[in-house]
Amino acid sequence: MSSVSSSSDMDEDWMHMLPLTEIEVVEEEETSSDSAEEVPRSVSKQRRVSFASIRRQRTLGTLSSLRPASEPIAIPEREKVPKQSEEPVSIPVRNWRIAIRKAREFVRNTPDAWQEFGLEKHETEKATRHRYNALRKSWLEDTVLVKMEDEPFDHGAMRECFRLKKLSNFSRSLDWNRASNYVAKRYIEKVERDVYFEDVKLQMDAKLWGEEFNRHDPPKKVDIMQVVILEFKDRPGSPLYHLEHFIEGKYIKYNSNSGFVEDEALRCTPQAFSHFTFERSSHNIIVVDIQGVGDLWTDPQIHTKEGTDYGDGNLGTKGMALYFHSHSCNRICKALNLTAFDLSNSEIANLERAQVIQTSSKTILRGSEEIVIDPRLKNTGDITLFLRQRSESPRNSPRVSESEDVHMMSSSVSPPYSPVNFLDDDPFPPSLRRLRSDSENSSITRGRVRYDSEMSDCFDDTMSPEEEAEHEEFARRQVSRPSCVNLEVNFRRMSLIQGQLTGGSILGEVHLEMAKYHENGRFAPQQGLNMLHEEEVDWDSAIFHLEKAAVCGVLEAIVALARMFLQLPHDVLEGAHVENTEENTNRGVDYMRMAAVAGDRGAMIYLANAYHTGSGLGTERDIDWVEATRWYDQAVNQSGEDEEGCYDATMEEPAYLLMAKEAELYREGGHGLEKDPERAAELYNDAAEQAMAAMKGRLASKYFMFAEECWGEMEE
């Protein structure tokens, strides 16, 4: 017994050491004696299967070795262990899943819009697909299966359209009834193959700007269609086609590349998007020609500052000028903190009708009736904070959203922003400072919310971490630059390089082009085929934009205004005239001095002659031969190129004539200049040598004689 008990105790101790591993305990059904043979199969007829640990069974005394055979195993029900909750899903992910599920249901329940055309009966063709990555500036190629109509179903001015079905590369079957509908486009007239690739680059670059626009959380997100190139290598000549998704809905053209705006379809979002691209790109580009269905657009056009890329539709700064002449800032422009482009009073009056139409647009900014000023900008006049605020995107900024319930938005805006001077020496004379006009700036800080435009199976991919990083890098490279001249001037003054006062202002070039358009009658009201009369030109608006261009440092505008105010012939705005008053003369001399500082040789010569003789000097300056010799000397040593890199090929007054005039001043002395015969003799001698080189023998002999006389005056 002792041995048995000791062994039993050892078993109990051993069972206490067992892990909580569960075993299956089967409660057999009660069977009659005549069904004893079926007991081995009773496992399949069990009433209940439960699980219990050996330790629980031992504690309850339910081990088969410790119970009578007639007593069933009685195991109390275990407490229900709550099922481990799945990993929490973020709201955006859940919304995307719901959207995908609804989209699948929509596709499943929506009949094929092109079923009646029987595209599935056409021959299946292999085509090489060329896709462009706007961030990496690279092309990818793969092969797709398509079915396309033989004849176009529609055409425009330049291209014709074909219905096409394309199987997804992820499709497991060749079910053409489930293939996506596309539109293939080709040029009616034969063009170079590079044109197709340039068109794709244009649209994909514009799509990148659409995603940048969405990052700033506008009331309505926008998207630009994915477009690729299909090359049918099995066809003769390997023709190329543009391929886009088929868009169902009413197709509307909101604006064009030449300033056209459709009044009946005037909406806030397309116009604000174009304005946004101009500022966000630091005036380097502007995306126009917005057209499509709703806010899904296609076939845009990009104007660049050089006007060389993106095909013949790129009008450069001329296209930018045409856009801003027809653009009136709306609520979305103000919400995105975009600044108004400077327009004359008459131009603003002509845009009042457009402002009324935009006010009735459905896109409303909820909560924007009361403007909230960012505390970082409160009670400060530092333009650096303003410019920094325009390129930042605080996550806790107030957001804008769309509401159809609010009909009108309060017209209250924040007070005009008044930048202060940051440099002690103002490059603009006092008489020209008043030309700068303050533009209204909304101080709302817009938050950026990352928005990935929907991807079509044209790309068959998703945003990888590398692509996300590339998008962020693209956004960081963009520096906003305001559209108003007042802030542009301060921006330029903060970034002056080696004292350069002119050149480099795209905004100024836009104003110059707008002035030229006024001169050519582009904006004049014309009736029928009547010829443009000079009195129909809005010369006040033309001079207004010419002055804005001059303030921005455009040398051509500065020289034109200088000659206009001084009653001299001028190439720009030839038909514009101003009154011959002392005030205008002084302003003309101010402009002439700005042009001379910028390296314009003609302006240098004018100032030298004016300080020499006093003619055309105005009432604010006196004859000063020191200044005259300085400008004569600079004109002689001028290399021929000004700050903007323009070369003066006319050379109205040769260097030997200027040297002779400067020598005359040193020979006589006076008006603050000391008499210096030695310097005069040197100048006459140099002038004679240059005259001899220019085949001016008589004049060279005359200068040599003057040089000898000056040497004689030194000996005396």
Side-chain angles (χ1 to χ4, degrees):
M1 292 293 293
S2 60
S3 61
V4 174
S5 63
S6 61
S7 61
S8 176
D9 293 341
M10 291 176 60
D11 291 340
E12 292 179 0
D13 294 340
W14 175 77
M15 283 188 290
H16 277 293
M17 298 173 61
L18 288 176
L20 297 179
T21 305
E22 296 181 343
I23 62 173
E24 183 177 3
V25 179
V26 180
E27 183 177 3
E28 299 177 355
E29 294 182 342
E30 295 181 0
T31 58
S32 59
S33 57
D34 57 354
S35 63
E37 296 178 357
E38 299 178 2
V39 171
R41 293 182 306 215
S42 63
V43 176
S44 63
K45 299 179 180 180
Q46 55 188 288
R47 288 185 306 176
R48 184 178 61 181
V49 177
S50 40
F51 294 87
S53 66
I54 296 179
R55 184 175 296 177
R56 285 188 64 215
Q57 295 179 35
R58 175 188 175 280
T59 304
L60 299 174
T62 57
L63 290 174
S64 59
S65 60
L66 301 178
R67 68 175 177 85
S70 60
E71 297 181 5
I73 298 176
I75 301 178
E77 293 184 2
R78 297 184 60 181
E79 296 180 0
K80 294 183 178 180
V81 179
K83 186 179 180 180
Q84 292 183 353
S85 60
E86 298 180 357
E87 185 178 353
V89 179
S90 62
I91 294 178
V93 173
R94 183 169 68 250
N95 292 340
W96 271 110
R97 290 178 178 176
I98 295 173
I100 292 174
R101 184 170 62 252
K102 291 182 178 180
R104 287 176 176 173
E105 294 176 357
F106 176 81
V107 172
R108 191 181 306 113
N109 301 327
T110 303
D112 185 3
W114 286 357
Q115 186 175 4
E116 59 179 305
F117 302 109
L119 288 176
E120 63 277 358
K121 299 179 182 179
H122 287 71
E123 179 185 358
T124 301
E125 298 182 82
K126 285 186 178 181
T128 301
R129 179 174 58 177
H130 302 269
R131 298 175 292 171
Y132 179 70
N133 189 314
L135 286 172
R136 299 178 181 176
K137 307 296 182 184
S138 60
W139 289 88
L140 300 175
E141 293 185 10
D142 61 356
T143 302
V144 294
L145 298 177
V146 300
K147 288 178 178 289
M148 189 173 72
E149 286 183 329
D150 298 327
E151 298 296 331
F153 71 94
D154 199 0
H155 66 86
M158 300 178 63
R159 295 186 294 182
E160 53 187 3
C161 306
F162 299 80
R163 294 186 182 92
L164 180 145
K165 280 185 174 290
K166 184 185 76 68
L167 282 178
S168 172
N169 285 355
F170 296 109
S171 177
R172 300 180 180 178
S173 63
L174 297 178
D175 186 2
W176 287 97
N177 292 323
R178 304 184 63 180
S180 301
N181 295 334
Y182 287 84
V183 176
K185 303 178 182 179
R186 73 177 179 186
Y187 282 95
I188 300 175
E189 301 292 337
K190 187 176 180 180
V191 297
E192 297 292 336
R193 297 176 70 88
D194 290 342
V195 174
Y196 285 89
F197 291 89
E198 288 297 323
D199 290 344
V200 172
K201 290 176 61 178
L202 186 158
Q203 187 151 332
M204 298 311 297
D205 286 344
K207 181 178 179 64
L208 200 61
W209 282 107
E211 295 178 359
E212 177 67 15
F213 178 76
N214 294 334
R215 291 181 69 254
H216 288 70
D217 198 22
K220 287 186 177 180
K221 302 295 190 294
V222 304
D223 196 9
I224 296 177
M225 291 289 293
Q226 301 271 6
V227 60
V228 298
I229 294 176
L230 288 186
E231 181 180 7
F232 292 88
K233 294 185 177 180
D234 295 336
R235 295 186 182 183
S238 300
L240 300 178
Y241 291 81
H242 287 139
L243 185 67
E244 292 181 351
H245 261 298
F246 172 68
I247 311 176
E248 295 189 44
K250 186 178 180 181
Y251 192 90
I252 300 176
K253 190 178 186 70
Y254 299 106
N255 62 36
S256 71
N257 68 330
S258 59
F260 165 80
V261 176
E262 176 60 51
D263 290 345
E264 297 180 358
L266 184 59
R267 293 181 52 230
C268 294
T269 300
Q271 313 307 327
F273 170 71
S274 297
H275 190 176
F276 171 85
T277 58
F278 179 76
E279 287 203 5
R280 188 62 178 153
S281 65
S282 295
H283 309 166
N284 286 290
I285 66 103
I286 185 171
V287 182
V288 294
D289 209 2
I290 306 299
Q291 52 194 310
V293 178
D295 290 311
L296 183 58
W297 304 330
T298 183
D299 290 337
Q301 178 61 55
I302 298 179
H303 297 316
T304 63
K305 63 177 182 179
E306 298 88 359
T308 55
D309 300 326
Y310 303 121
D312 296 335
N314 181 2
L315 304 180
T317 53
K318 293 182 174 64
M320 298 177 183
L322 292 172
Y323 165 78
F324 279 111
H325 183 264
S326 60
H327 174 65
S328 176
C329 279
N330 52 54
R331 296 181 296 274
I332 300 181
C333 293
K334 295 177 181 178
L336 294 174
N337 212 16
L338 306 178
T339 58
F341 187 87
D342 295 280
L343 296 174
S344 65
N345 293 332
S346 60
E347 290 172 323
I348 295 175
N350 292 333
L351 289 176
E352 287 182 354
R353 180 168 176 265
Q355 293 174 345
V356 172
I357 297 176
Q358 292 192 29
T359 302
S360 63
S361 180
K362 291 183 178 180
T363 302
I364 303 295
L365 310 181
R366 182 184 297 129
S368 59
E369 292 82 3
E370 187 172 337
I371 302 300
V372 180
I373 299 178
D374 193 309
R376 296 175 302 169
L377 296 180
K378 189 175 182 180
N379 298 329
T380 179
D382 192 348
I383 186 65
T384 57
L385 295 180
F386 173 79
L387 296 174
R388 189 181 303 117
Q389 180 263 348
R390 293 178 57 78
S391 59
E392 292 179 351
S393 59
R395 294 290 183 183
N396 57 354
S397 313
R399 294 179 53 171
V400 292
S401 58
E402 180 185 357
S403 171
E404 307 240 347
D405 302 326
V406 184
H407 298 287
M408 290 294 293
M409 168 190 167
S410 173
S411 59
S412 61
V413 294
S414 58
Y417 189 84
S418 301
V420 296
N421 292 330
F422 298 95
L423 301 179
D424 294 335
D425 55 338
D426 193 339
F428 300 97
S431 62
L432 301 183
R433 294 175 190 167
R434 61 179 178 272
L435 298 179
R436 310 181 200 173
S437 63
D438 293 333
S439 300
E440 290 184 353
N441 288 302
S442 171
S443 297
I444 302 176
T445 305
R446 308 311 315 155
R448 293 182 190 164
V449 176
R450 180 70 181 130
Y451 175 84
D452 294 330
S453 58
E454 56 183 351
M455 303 294 292
S456 70
D457 64 352
C458 283
F459 277 76
D460 294 333
D461 60 1
T462 56
M463 294 291 290
S464 64
E466 293 79 8
E467 290 173 329
E468 285 285 354
E470 291 172 353
H471 274 267
E472 294 296 331
E473 178 62 25
F474 172 81
R476 282 193 294 268
R477 288 199 304 266
Q478 311 311 321
V479 179
S480 293
R481 197 161 179 172
S483 302
C484 69
V485 170
N486 192 38
L487 296 176
E488 169 75 1
V489 170
N490 286 279
F491 186 93
R492 287 175 52 78
R493 296 180 65 202
M494 288 187 301
S495 58
L496 288 179
I497 302 176
Q498 297 180 354
Q500 181 174 336
L501 302 179
T502 60
S505 175
I506 304 173
L507 182 63
E509 295 289 344
V510 173
H511 278 283
L512 177 62
E513 295 296 342
M514 194 171 291
K516 292 180 179 179
Y517 272 129
H518 275 289
E519 179 185 18
N520 297 332
R522 176 65 170 79
F523 306 137
Q526 300 185 26
Q527 299 178 357
L529 299 177
N530 294 337
M531 297 298 292
L532 177 67
H533 298 287
E534 187 173 318
E535 58 271 12
E536 295 178 351
V537 177
D538 188 358
W539 292 113
D540 291 337
S541 296
I543 295 176
F544 172 87
H545 289 291
L546 194 63
E547 289 178 338
K548 295 299 180 184
V551 172
C552 289
V554 178
L555 185 57
E556 184 179 359
I558 295 174
V559 174
L561 284 173
R563 301 184 69 86
M564 183 187 303
F565 284 116
L566 293 171
Q567 309 300 316
L568 300 174
H570 46 279
D571 297 331
V572 181
L573 305 188
E574 294 183 11
H577 303 283
V578 296
E579 296 182 5
N580 187 9
T581 62
E582 293 183 357
E583 180 182 2
N584 286 338
T585 301
N586 292 330
R587 292 178 63 183
V589 176
D590 289 337
Y591 279 120
M592 196 65 78
R593 186 177 183 86
M594 291 172 59
V597 172
D600 184 79
R601 187 172 182 272
M604 295 177 184
I605 296 173
Y606 178 89
L607 286 180
N609 290 328
Y611 280 113
H612 182 182
T613 63
S615 175
L617 193 57
T619 59
E620 296 179 354
R621 296 171 177 84
D622 299 322
I623 297 177
D624 188 343
W625 283 7
V626 175
E627 281 292 300
T629 55
R630 182 169 75 91
W631 289 116
Y632 276 135
D633 188 63
Q634 289 193 22
V636 168
N637 297 322
Q638 178 68 13
S639 62
E641 293 185 357
D642 52 37
E643 285 186 351
E644 295 184 353
C646 298
Y647 179 74
D648 183 9
T650 58
M651 297 293 286
E652 297 177 356
E653 297 194 36
Y656 54 83
L657 293 180
L658 302 180
M659 290 180 181
K661 291 182 178 181
E662 185 180 359
E664 180 182 353
L665 297 180
Y666 278 108
R667 185 177 183 181
E668 296 182 7
H671 298 288
L673 181 67
E674 294 184 1
K675 184 177 180 180
D676 190 350
E678 182 179 3
R679 175 61 177 160
E682 293 175 354
L683 289 171
Y684 276 129
N685 191 64
D686 293 340
E689 292 178 354
Q690 291 206 15
M692 185 68 69
M695 307 299 291
K696 301 291 183 180
R698 284 187 177 181
L699 196 57
S701 301
K702 179 180 177 180
Y703 290 155
F704 277 128
M705 181 183 66
F706 287 158
E708 291 295 333
E709 293 177 358
C710 291
W711 290 117
E713 292 177 4
M714 285 183 58
E715 295 176 357
E716 295 178 358

